[in-house]
Amino acid sequence: PMILSRVTDYLRQHRRASRNDMALRLGAAPDALSGMLATLERKGWVRRIPAGAACDGCRKCSGAQVELYEWVDDRMRSGSS
């Protein structure tokens, strides 16, 4: 089963990724990642990028259909709360 630490490690390393990219790279179902990403977002560890924002990736998909997430820098997170 997919564990939260693999998702956080991936986003820390890549800084920004789509849910589908993470699903492909981590071998997880996109729906399973949604719950984990929502948990990380509530905790302030990641933020969802507004639809249509550029991911700096391959540009092969429609930005409006992509769920894009970004790691929140540790220094930024410790300053909030």
Side-chain angles (χ1 to χ4, degrees):
M2 173 60 57
I3 54 174
L4 218 49
S5 64
R6 289 186 63 208
V7 177
T8 59
D9 289 346
Y10 187 85
L11 276 172
R12 267 192 185 138
Q13 180 181 3
H14 296 280
R15 308 304 291 174
R16 188 181 272 197
S18 73
R19 182 187 68 155
N20 288 342
D21 180 56
M22 287 184 276
L24 178 68
R25 307 265 184 211
L26 298 172
D31 289 342
L33 280 174
S34 291
M36 288 182 249
L37 289 163
T39 297
L40 292 171
E41 192 173 13
R42 276 192 310 274
K43 292 182 177 206
W45 291 40
V46 302
R47 71 179 183 106
R48 187 170 176 182
I49 305 297
C55 69
D56 299 327
C58 65
R59 294 176 178 75
K60 291 182 180 178
C61 59
S62 167
Q65 298 174 347
V66 175
E67 283 186 39
L68 191 61
Y69 292 86
E70 180 175 59
W71 181 255
V72 175
D73 188 278
D74 294 318
R75 293 171 304 220
M76 292 171 55
R77 189 174 50 258
S78 64
S80 62
S81 309

